[in-house]
Amino acid sequence: MASHAAASDEPYRKLALSVGFLSITVSALVAHASPATGYELSIYTMTPSLVWVGLALAMSVSLSVAFAPTSDDGSWSRSSALVLGGTAMTVLAGLPIIRGYHFFGHHDAMTHLGWARGIADGSISPFSLLYPGIHTLSVFINSIVGIPIRHALLLVVLLSTLAFVVFVPLSVATLVPDSLAVAIATFGAFLLLPVTSVSTFMHPHAMTQTILLFALFVFVLLKYVTAEEGRSMGIPFLVAIVAVAAVVYHPQYVAHMLVVCLAICALQFFVPRIPLVSRRTTVRRIADHQRLYGLTLFVFGIFLLWSANHGFFSGFAGRAVSSAVEYLLTGSGEAGTSIAAQGGSLSAIGASLTEAFLKLFFPHLVVTLLAMAVITTAFLAGRPARFPDVAATTVYLATGLAGLTGLFVVYFVSVTSEMYFRVFGLMMVFAVILASIALHESIRSLSAVISPSAVRTVAVAFFAILIVTSTAALFASPYTYGQSHHVSETQMHGYETAFANADDGIEFAGFGRAPDRFSDAIFAAETRTSTHATVTPETFEDGPADYYGTDRYLVVSQVDRDRELVAYQGLHYSEHDFDSLDNHRNLDRVHSNGEVTTYRVTTDA
């Protein structure tokens, strides 16, 4: 009877999907017809409301159709619903491209733009960079498609995002070959949990793009260990290609891959040899799986060959380990101090650390709890056992998570404390896969005892809440006490003019080392710029001439004003501070284009 009802509803589903695809088309066209005319503090508020209405309608249709009970004939509508949802997420993630942003990404993204330009014009060899992956790919796109390098880099970001959205459900389908599980995993991937806007971003950022590609590594890993003997001949070659690509994208990412692989290798070697444990069904299944020893050795060889030539061990890895040891001996860590300082800053503007945490990490918290539930079930009961490989691979993923948790702790207590959120992003790849399995099992089990329609309605509402809360924090904005990373053409031109007209030998000063980053982007030097000074509250208190003590160019942009006065609500600088620059002694305005103003600081000496 239910199957017949599902079949009779198929025409309505097709109609709803047609409306959904029409709405997403209208959203994209409206967004494209409303390009940014200057710097935008928030992509959310500056994008026309009709765009968000269309995206919301499309995602609502996608959720409703994907979770509706279907007959065999309804598989087409479920697949179409997932494509609709994926299209909506593509439009959302691609808004900086669709709305014609000149570039999108401050800080590291500007340096990446410079490196990509250097590779394109031949002044930088990709082999001289530690992680030339996103840069060489953007140059390839630039040469094939003909779009500017800055837009090619944004396209690389979008492609990495789509790879995550594709390979998370494929990973779940490897373990749970059920269309409902694939639908759940797809919407779980739409949350884009590895992107936190804290140290992983939706703009060119080599580590973020490699974290998103971690879903591809997990997919080939699961395919390999669960493949029947004699049917996995091509998978090692695929793993080899993924490993080589990963080390070029970011060798630190490969180091994290190795931690996961080594943890699973230890599990495969030791656990089946423990007398009492070896009799359990899950452990016997692990004993039947393909071993990762050879592939792990290959990945380690590739990693060693590349990173040894770029000083990875003597640089970043050495600092991380040595400072973690120092913390254990002296108790002097930086992460706790940083968190306390941020909590104090939030309190000063009437917010709280708890509020900021929930805005940024509520979906992560929910998904982590679901992942913990399925891990606990697998360890204690050897279930869920609806599919034979679920329990065993859950143990694998839990073991990999344990290894990454160790790295998280090392980063947290070391001078590289900002890196712990990047490991957290990798952990979220495992978490969303495990949470999808947990939700699938829960929906199937509950549907057997209560109304399936009621259960799926709750599932739709559950995902709707998570998608809204996650996408609201996907791009930095005042909602999350930050500012958009939009780089307008006027802003770029302002810095180009400032550098071009500067007297030789006089350095710049700016907020947050912005002159260094724009210098990287404009001059495309292989070595990061570090010669320019920063602006601090003391710069205004003492006066720029007295504070710096030497002649300088002081650059102030609209980004700086909006960030400090709107996003940070005047926490560090007031509007009076910015306005007073025109009245400071020994400070002369030499250029302004409406978004970037350059002052000449002249000392009395």
Side-chain angles (χ1 to χ4, degrees), residues 75-239:
S75 60
W76 177 90
S77 61
R78 175 170 285 168
S79 299
S80 299
L82 298 182
V83 172
L84 173 61
T87 306
M89 288 305 301
T90 301
V91 171
L92 174 64
L95 274 178
I97 301 174
I98 296 172
R99 296 201 55 236
Y101 278 15
H102 184 74
F103 187 63
F104 189 72
H106 295 158
H107 310 303
D108 283 354
M110 300 297 286
T111 302
H112 292 311
L113 175 58
W115 285 344
R117 284 176 167 172
I119 292 174
D121 63 28
S123 62
I124 297 178
S125 168
F127 296 101
S128 64
L129 298 178
L130 178 61
Y131 37 86
I134 65 172
H135 319 94
T136 51
L137 181 55
S138 65
V139 172
F140 176 77
I141 293 173
N142 162 257
S143 62
I144 297 298
V145 183
I147 60 177
I149 287 291
R150 64 181 188 275
H151 289 163
L153 266 173
L154 299 184
L155 189 57
V156 169
V157 174
L158 182 59
L159 292 174
S160 301
T161 305
L162 293 179
F164 177 80
V165 169
V166 168
F167 285 106
V168 164
L170 285 179
S171 298
V172 171
T174 300
L175 308 177
V176 185
D178 180 86
S179 62
L180 178 61
V182 173
I184 293 170
T186 302
F187 287 105
F190 289 166
L191 302 178
L192 294 177
L193 296 185
V195 180
T196 62
S197 293
V198 177
S199 60
T200 51
F201 312 94
M202 283 298 293
H203 61 237
H205 184 251
M207 193 62 183
T208 301
Q209 276 77 71
T210 52
I211 289 171
L212 292 171
L213 289 173
F214 191 64
L216 170 58
F217 168 71
V218 174
F219 169 68
V220 296
L221 182 73
L222 294 175
K223 290 292 287 186
Y224 179 74
V225 297
T226 60
E228 296 180 7
E229 189 173 357
R231 294 188 177 183
S232 61
M233 295 300 294
I235 300 179
F237 295 101
L238 181 59
V239 174

Side-chain angles (χ1 to χ4, degrees), residues 208-402:
T208 301
Q209 276 77 71
T210 52
I211 289 171
L212 292 171
L213 289 173
F214 191 64
L216 170 58
F217 168 71
V218 174
F219 169 68
V220 296
L221 182 73
L222 294 175
K223 290 292 287 186
Y224 179 74
V225 297
T226 60
E228 296 180 7
E229 189 173 357
R231 294 188 177 183
S232 61
M233 295 300 294
I235 300 179
F237 295 101
L238 181 59
V239 174
I241 293 172
V242 171
V244 172
V247 79
V248 173
Y249 257 71
H250 210 303
Q252 185 182 350
Y253 157 71
V254 180
H256 298 159
M257 287 171 52
L258 282 170
V259 169
V260 172
C261 288
L262 289 171
I264 294 176
C265 284
L267 176 75
Q268 289 183 324
F269 182 80
F270 289 108
V271 173
R273 289 172 168 79
I274 300 175
L276 295 178
V277 176
S278 62
R279 299 177 181 178
R280 299 191 62 179
T281 303
T282 301
V283 177
R284 289 201 301 269
R285 190 68 181 177
I286 290 174
D288 293 336
H289 281 163
Q290 300 275 359
R291 294 293 183 264
L292 282 182
Y293 310 146
L295 289 179
T296 302
L297 185 63
F298 174 81
V299 173
F300 179 74
I302 295 294
F303 166 74
L304 192 64
L305 181 66
W306 181 266
S307 59
N309 291 330
H310 291 83
F312 177 81
F313 293 105
S314 60
F316 174 83
R319 291 195 307 273
V321 174
S322 61
S323 58
V325 172
E326 180 183 357
Y327 172 81
L328 293 175
L329 297 177
T330 65
S332 57
E334 294 189 359
T337 303
S338 174
I339 292 173
Q342 292 174 29
S345 297
L346 288 167
S347 297
I349 61 175
S352 68
L353 197 59
T354 301
E355 177 188 349
F357 174 83
L358 290 177
K359 284 183 175 181
L360 288 168
F361 299 113
F362 174 73
H364 303 74
L365 178 62
V366 173
V367 167
T368 299
L369 292 175
L370 286 170
M372 291 174 61
V374 77
I375 289 172
T376 302
T377 303
F379 274 101
L380 296 181
R383 285 197 292 264
R386 196 183 298 273
F387 299 93
D389 285 314
V390 166
T393 51
T394 297
V395 175
Y396 288 147
L397 297 179
T399 304
L401 276 172

Side-chain angles (χ1 to χ4, degrees), residues 410-425:
V410 169
Y411 288 147
F412 188 86
V413 302
S414 73
V415 295
T416 59
S417 57
E418 75 281 357
M419 293 297 298
Y420 58 81
F421 271 118
R422 300 180 185 180
V423 179
F424 177 76

